[in-house]
Amino acid sequence: TPHFPIAYFGTLKLGAAVAAAPPVSVPREIEYLIRDSGAKTIVTLDILYDRIAGVWEDCGVETVVVGSIGDFLPPHKRLLGRLLKKLPSPAAPVPYGGKVQRMPDFLQSGKGRQTDNLADPEDVAVLQYTGGTTGIPKAAMLTHANLLANARQMREWFPQLRDGEETILAVLPLFHVYGMTLVLNAALILAARTVLIPNWTPSLVFEAIRTYRPTVFPGVPTLYVAFVNDERSKIYDVSSIEYCVCGGAPLPIEVKREFELLTGGRLFEGYGLSEASPLVSAQPYTGAGEAGSVGLPVADTDISIVSAETGEPVPLGQAGELLVRGPQIMAGYWHRQDETADVLEQGWLRTGDIARMDGEGLLFIVDRSKDLIITGGENVYPREIEEVLFEHPKIKEAAVVGVPHPFGGEVAKAFIVARPGEDLTKNEVLSFARERLARHKVPRAVEFRTELPKSSSGKVLRRVLSDEEKERAQKRGSRARGRLQARAGYAADSGQSSD
């Protein structure tokens, strides 16, 4: 919604820092982010106010700015929306007054006041929350210089983009560093028009494509999967789309081919992470390179692939841990010196991701960080889910791993050991998790066990559980292929078509 870019760029101009939270966050998560960041001002929407109502005062927040969906509509449309009840209403009245202000009033209070740009390039612009490779979310400190460098790196990587002539379809969430850089900051660098889509609603997306003719469409694999599987992609004229950059998770090659066939545009796969603002590499515009690679490092970016055991560079073509150095690399983790020291050394960022490089210099991500789950392009951290599950009085042990999912790449699955004598159901576990976790973090599957695999030191072996799930998936795939082959054989014997 327009509220986000207004609050984002206004905050940056003041020299303050933005700490953005997903709108699906539950009060418990928001309270943690407020306390950890030390935020004194919150900007939100009235339909989300109930998420912060019970926590902001105790956290020392001094100002709450609350917007409504219709704030920036023309007056006649805003009135019509209210009369026809087309605009969403908050679950409960917002207690305006005192520290809680309406966004239009807050903006009006600054009218006529001139404020110089108070930001320094090395000031922290964004506290981007990430779990890194494991654990409770921590904030990567991204400076103005980091964000500007990464936006410029993106701009230079695609020289065919035309300043002042592009239109960006903004479906990516702007609270995520990927959308922040490839939509908000890139649009500023390009002097582009931005079409804001509040959420992935196919009718809204395709109508926006037909009306505004976007030329740039950054996304994650799930968005492109949904796009090509929607009948409207074959009916509507989607030929305006020329450039797309996909990140967040591996992109299925067939999805890339079909998307490019439908639009006539180009879909480039890239790689990045929050600590790098986020773009590290992307497939070159020339189209060179093998399918499945994440391309070459963007301008001014160095990479090194080293042995996890020795720290020494590995031979070309061999897999190892990926290290990155460049002007987009974070200043460190907010208030976490030890964890900063673990990942930053002489300007190099240890990504924790396993990669290899081929003879052409193209980068391939072999495996994501050890325990990280990527679902719908969003990072999900097993430990965070496990800590919530351990709060359930009937749960003795819990372990969470990522399991393959045809649409979301991966989803979280919880393995539960109930306390002796307790009768625990899947619905109880999921209801408990839904109250305490954002929707994309809630496990999609639950399996009860009498015990969990452990090492000799008593540590739960998530990798064993993950390998078991992969083996199950392979067996299901083999059985499915067997059934298809049997059908094809029957059709051939009977003279029927196997289509």
Side-chain angles (χ1 to χ4, degrees):
T1 64
H3 308 72
F4 193 100
I6 289 170
Y8 174 77
F9 288 117
T11 301
L12 296 191
K13 185 174 181 180
L14 286 173
V18 173
V24 295
S25 299
V26 297
R28 167 199 180 104
E29 295 167 319
I30 293 171
E31 180 179 5
Y32 169 80
L33 296 178
I34 296 173
R35 292 188 185 280
D36 186 76
S37 66
K40 298 301 180 185
T41 300
I42 295 180
V43 184
T44 189
L45 295 174
D46 55 8
I47 57 174
L48 299 173
Y49 181 80
D50 61 311
R51 309 287 178 93
I52 67 168
V55 301
W56 69 264
E57 287 187 279
D58 290 342
C59 294
V61 171
E62 298 170 359
T63 306
V64 180
V65 181
V66 182
S68 296
I69 292 294
D71 282 341
F72 301 103
L73 287 174
H76 66 284
K77 287 191 175 181
R78 187 162 62 245
L79 177 61
L80 191 62
R82 288 171 180 165
L83 291 174
L84 298 178
K85 297 183 178 179
K86 294 290 186 181
L87 298 178
S89 300
V94 178
Y96 292 109
K99 295 181 179 180
V100 182
Q101 304 180 40
R102 297 180 189 272
M103 189 166 191
D105 297 338
F106 178 79
L107 297 177
Q108 187 68 22
S109 69
K111 190 174 182 180
R113 293 170 58 185
Q114 295 298 318
T115 304
D116 293 331
N117 184 355
L118 302 178
D120 182 270
E122 299 308 318
D123 286 344
V124 175
V126 170
L127 294 175
Q128 183 62 43
Y129 277 87
T130 172
T133 57
T134 60
I136 298 300
K138 51 187 173 286
M141 296 187 290
L142 303 179
T143 66
H144 290 266
N146 291 153
L147 295 174
L148 187 58
N150 209 223
R152 285 176 168 162
Q153 287 167 323
M154 184 284 306
R155 174 69 186 88
E156 294 305 316
W157 200 247
F158 300 104
Q160 285 72 13
L161 293 171
R162 302 150 296 180
D163 291 348
E165 297 183 32
E166 307 295 348
T167 297
I168 300 177
L169 186 65
V171 181
L172 285 172
L174 303 181
F175 64 81
H176 194 288
V177 67
Y178 184 25
M180 200 177 286
T181 292
L182 269 78
V183 176
L184 289 184
N185 299 343
L188 200 65
I189 292 292
L190 283 167
R193 178 173 65 168
T194 305
V195 181
L196 298 174
I197 306 293
N199 52 47
W200 178 267
T201 304
S203 59
L204 191 60
V205 170
F206 284 101
E207 194 57 41
I209 292 173
R210 180 160 65 179
T211 303
Y212 299 106
R213 310 297 294 154
T215 55
V216 182
F217 176 16
V220 294
T222 50
L223 294 181
Y224 299 122
V225 169
F227 182 96
V228 300
N229 286 324
D230 195 295
E231 282 302 311
R232 279 164 284 214
S233 66
K234 286 83 172 173
I235 300 170
Y236 282 55
D237 180 3
V238 294
S239 61
S240 67
I241 298 172
E242 298 179 23
Y243 314 103
C244 303
V245 181
C246 179
L251 176 69
I253 293 173
E254 286 305 315
V255 173
K256 171 183 169 70
R257 289 172 180 163
E258 188 170 357
F259 183 89
E260 292 184 338
L261 186 64
L262 288 167
T263 63
R266 301 285 300 280
L267 177 51
F268 304 93
E269 193 166 1
Y271 164 79
L273 64 166
S274 297
E275 291 86 345
S277 303
L279 190 63
V280 170
S281 70
Q283 293 170 338
Y285 180 82
T286 58
E290 184 181 338
S293 83
V294 292
L296 301 168
V298 294
D300 294 332
T301 301
D302 300 323
I303 66 171
S304 179
I305 300 175
V306 303
S307 166
E309 288 77 27
T310 67
E312 295 297 317
V314 300
L316 192 67
Q318 186 173 318
E321 184 182 4
L322 176 64
L323 275 57
V324 180
R325 181 173 63 184
Q328 72 272 46
I329 300 302
M330 69 171 182
Y333 291 122
W334 176 250
H335 293 329
R336 285 174 168 80
Q337 292 183 352
D338 290 345
E339 292 182 66
T340 297
D342 287 341
V343 298
L344 285 180
E345 185 175 353
Q346 297 180 338
W348 288 97
L349 170 69
R350 302 181 68 95
T351 68
D353 290 332
I354 307 303
R356 66 176 177 84
M357 180 183 284
D358 70 7
E360 301 297 319
L362 291 166
L363 189 64
F364 293 79
I365 303 300
V366 176
D367 196 6
R368 301 294 294 193
S369 305
K370 186 171 67 173
D371 293 321
L372 181 64
I373 302 168
I374 300 179
T375 180
E378 289 289 325
N379 290 354
V380 176
Y381 305 99
R383 180 180 159 191
E384 184 180 6
I385 303 174
E386 289 167 0
E387 288 192 357
V388 167
L389 295 177
F390 271 112
E391 293 177 10
H392 195 292
K394 293 183 180 180
I395 292 178
K396 178 184 176 183
E397 292 181 308
V400 175
V401 302
V403 297
H405 188 273
F407 189 78
E410 285 183 306
V411 293
K413 177 174 180 177
F415 294 84
I416 304 291
V417 177
R419 293 186 182 278
E422 294 287 1
D423 184 21
L424 185 62
T425 67
K426 176 182 175 181
N427 285 338
E428 280 183 80
V429 173
L430 296 181
S431 295
F432 187 84
R434 289 189 191 106
E435 292 173 0
R436 292 161 175 80
L437 293 166
R439 185 170 59 247
H440 66 280
K441 299 177 185 177
V442 175
R444 299 288 185 89
V446 175
E447 181 176 330
F448 292 97
R449 294 199 172 188
T450 55
E451 61 181 5
L452 297 177
K454 296 183 179 71
S455 67
S456 56
S457 63
K459 182 180 179 181
V460 174
L461 298 174
R462 289 199 193 106
R463 181 58 57 190
V464 172
L465 297 171
S466 181
D467 289 343
E468 289 175 5
E469 288 301 311
K470 289 177 182 177
E471 187 176 343
R472 289 181 186 178
Q474 289 174 351
K475 288 180 179 179
R476 287 194 296 267
S478 297
R479 288 196 294 269
R481 286 191 296 272
R483 288 194 294 270
L484 287 172
Q485 289 169 356
R487 290 175 188 168
Y490 169 77
D493 291 340
S494 61
Q496 298 178 15
S497 169
S498 60
D499 290 343

